[in-house]
Amino acid sequence: LSLGVEAQDRIQIVHQTLHHLHRIYSMNLSSVTWVQATVEHFRLLLDRQLRELEVCVRKPSTGSRARKNATVLKYFRKLRKFLKQKGFSACAWEITRAETRAHLQQLLLIMATISREL
């Protein structure tokens, strides 16, 4: 199965986003009021999706793909910094959870676009 460059770029963005979400949800969760089993299940799902996407992801190259990856990296660095600055408070985690939900919805749209192209 051969994917076009644009589809490969989209898959790379999905992979990078899931990678950063996995890193964030592996941070200090001690102040959250969420059910820990649910958080652990979410992390396991992220991990599984990352492993499954590995076969589809090429190493980032120069050009627009590298810029897109840099944009994703910069956003998640800011989010990690925000959590640290707020002392991983329950409120900061709730904001992060809302951001995560928005990103996951965007990823669904991206993956639907890729699926239509196949």
Side-chain angles (χ1 to χ4, degrees), residues 86-99:
K86 299 299 179 186
F88 300 97
S89 69
C91 181
W93 275 112
E94 286 301 322
I95 291 168
T96 301
R97 184 166 75 162
E99 290 287 316

Side-chain angles (χ1 to χ4, degrees), residues 46-57:
L46 286 173
D47 187 54
R48 187 180 83 204
Q49 290 296 315
L50 283 167
R51 281 186 278 116
E52 290 174 1
L53 279 173
E54 288 294 325
V55 296
C56 303
V57 175

Side-chain angles (χ1 to χ4, degrees), residues 34-112:
W34 311 327
V35 176
Q36 289 302 312
T38 303
V39 175
E40 185 58 29
H41 181 70
F42 177 66
R43 287 197 308 226
L44 290 172
L45 288 174
L46 286 173
D47 187 54
R48 187 180 83 204
Q49 290 296 315
L50 283 167
R51 281 186 278 116
E52 290 174 1
L53 279 173
E54 288 294 325
V55 296
C56 303
V57 175
R58 293 186 183 168
K59 295 294 179 200
S61 61
T62 59
S64 68
R65 185 180 297 175
R67 283 191 299 276
K68 289 174 186 172
N69 289 341
T71 301
V72 171
L73 177 63
K74 185 177 177 180
Y75 173 80
F76 282 103
R77 276 187 184 154
K78 286 182 181 181
L79 193 55
R80 284 193 303 275
K81 184 177 178 181
F82 166 77
L83 280 165
K84 289 176 185 177
Q85 286 175 338
K86 299 299 179 186
F88 300 97
S89 69
C91 181
W93 275 112
E94 286 301 322
I95 291 168
T96 301
R97 184 166 75 162
E99 290 287 316
T100 298
R101 181 173 299 198
H103 281 290
L104 291 174
Q105 289 171 340
Q106 289 174 345
L107 293 183
L108 282 173
L109 294 174
I110 291 169
M111 293 308 294

